[in-house]
Amino acid sequence: MTSTPSPAVPAGAVAAVVAAALAEDAPWGDVTSESLLPADARARAELRAREPGVLAGGAAAREAFAQAAALTGGSAAVHDLLPDGTRFAAGDVLARVEGTALAVLRAERVALNLLQHLSGVATLTARFVGEVAGTGARIADTRKTTPGLRALERAAVRAGGGRNHRWSLSDAVLVKDNHLAVLLAEGLDVTAALRAARERVPHTTVVEVEVDRLDQLDAVLAAGVDVVLLDNFALDDLAEGVRRARAAGALVEASGGVRLDTVRAIAATGVDVVSVGALTQNARTLDLGLDVEVLVGARTGTGS
């Protein structure tokens, strides 16, 4: 197993996601466990990978067990949790959990759901990053995230070696095709409108403009934008767009239907960034399991 530094996730975002998920999963408690098991029964379990991948979501898993312990009045400690960004093989133990059975079983599904989804995002991201190795292009996510999970999904992208795009609509000027359509419908000059937008925002705010045809590019570059986003361009047109943007001093981002089998050719045109909505939209959940090893009454003095 190999690992990269664990990406930070805002603690408040993790706690809020986990609290909502636990409330959804057991709004009136865990009827099965509470009616079947002794309140002082203990469980020891291993989180094990059933297929290879890249780990992400460790903070959410740890939080799920901590909150479940508080909800049940018990305990649940996570040990030997591998860092986010760790590459693992099928059969590897990713963490160990020990505590009261009611707490461990209350958290199990929520912890696994988040780990499986976020590790899927990290794993897919790592595949895209591997495809463009040596080209100089960076792989970035988009705002096509699951509502409520953006902070966690974007940390998973970083765990897979990718980069994050603007966090929200508040973070940067990104003029899309629909913005341009409104300008043209109003009879406004695109270059003048972009220059005016630049004047209205702080000097530290990045201005990026999406174009989907080469004939739109010159008017955009004339406004002195920081980044041009070339959307769904054929490779030859993409290379020409890179040439023109470079001459104007702008960075170039490519997007639109990017796949694992096409991303290297896109990167080879010289773009700086390839943004891939599939990282968070199409990632497959990984097969991870939490297998209880010991489930005995604490009164016996075993299993602790």
Side-chain angles (χ1 to χ4, degrees):
M1 291 177 284
T2 59
S3 65
T4 55
S6 179
V9 186
V14 174
V17 167
V18 168
L22 287 170
E24 177 183 63
D25 200 39
W28 304 286
D30 177 358
V31 176
T32 304
S33 297
E34 291 166 10
S35 64
L36 181 68
L37 303 177
D40 58 357
R42 297 189 64 79
R44 188 166 62 203
E46 288 184 336
L47 174 65
R48 191 176 291 273
R50 293 170 180 160
E51 62 177 312
V54 177
L55 187 66
R62 195 182 291 278
E63 180 70 16
F65 287 105
Q67 288 194 24
L71 288 169
T72 60
S75 64
V78 179
H79 305 290
D80 305 322
L81 176 63
L82 298 180
D84 280 15
T86 300
R87 292 176 179 267
F88 54 81
D92 284 349
V93 175
L94 310 180
R96 292 179 172 85
V97 181
E98 186 171 356
T100 51
L102 295 183
V104 172
L105 297 176
R106 175 77 74 92
E108 175 186 11
R109 186 71 268 154
V110 167
L112 282 175
N113 283 351
L114 291 170
L115 280 168
Q116 289 175 309
H117 171 58
L118 297 171
S119 295
V121 171
T123 300
L124 182 58
T125 301
R127 294 184 67 191
F128 272 96
V129 170
E131 288 293 331
V132 303
T135 66
R138 291 166 285 177
I139 296 295
D141 55 20
T142 71
R143 283 173 44 247
K144 297 175 182 177
T145 53
T146 307
L149 293 184
R150 180 169 296 177
L152 278 67
E153 288 179 342
R154 290 197 143 172
V157 168
R158 298 194 300 274
R163 307 291 184 91
N164 297 143
H165 212 291
R166 61 172 178 162
W167 193 264
S168 69
L169 291 173
S170 303
D171 295 313
V173 174
L174 177 44
V175 180
K176 305 273 286 181
D177 54 352
N178 285 337
H179 297 103
L180 294 177
V182 172
L183 290 178
L184 293 173
E186 292 292 315
L188 299 174
D189 179 77
V190 169
T191 302
L194 291 173
R195 286 174 176 164
R198 165 76 78 185
E199 292 298 316
R200 296 187 188 105
V201 298
H203 69 283
T204 56
T205 302
V206 171
V207 177
E208 180 173 3
V209 182
E210 174 189 81
V211 298
D212 51 25
R213 303 189 316 272
L214 276 175
D215 62 13
Q216 298 173 312
L217 192 55
D218 290 343
V220 168
L221 292 174
V225 301
D226 301 297
V227 188
V228 290
L229 170 55
L230 308 181
D231 187 50
N232 282 298
F233 270 48
L235 292 177
D236 288 346
D237 286 347
L238 192 56
E240 173 62 14
V242 169
R243 186 190 66 78
R244 293 191 200 177
R246 286 279 186 277
L251 293 176
V252 183
E253 175 183 345
S255 71
V258 181
R259 307 189 309 270
L260 280 167
D261 63 344
T262 63
V263 67
R264 187 166 186 85
I266 292 170
T269 64
V271 298
D272 300 288
V273 179
V274 183
S275 56
V276 186
L279 300 182
T280 49
Q281 280 194 314
N282 298 345
R284 182 180 61 82
T285 58
L286 288 195
D287 190 2
L288 311 176
L290 188 72
D291 301 318
V292 171
E293 295 179 318
V294 178
L295 184 56
V296 298
R299 295 181 296 277
T300 68
T302 60
S304 60

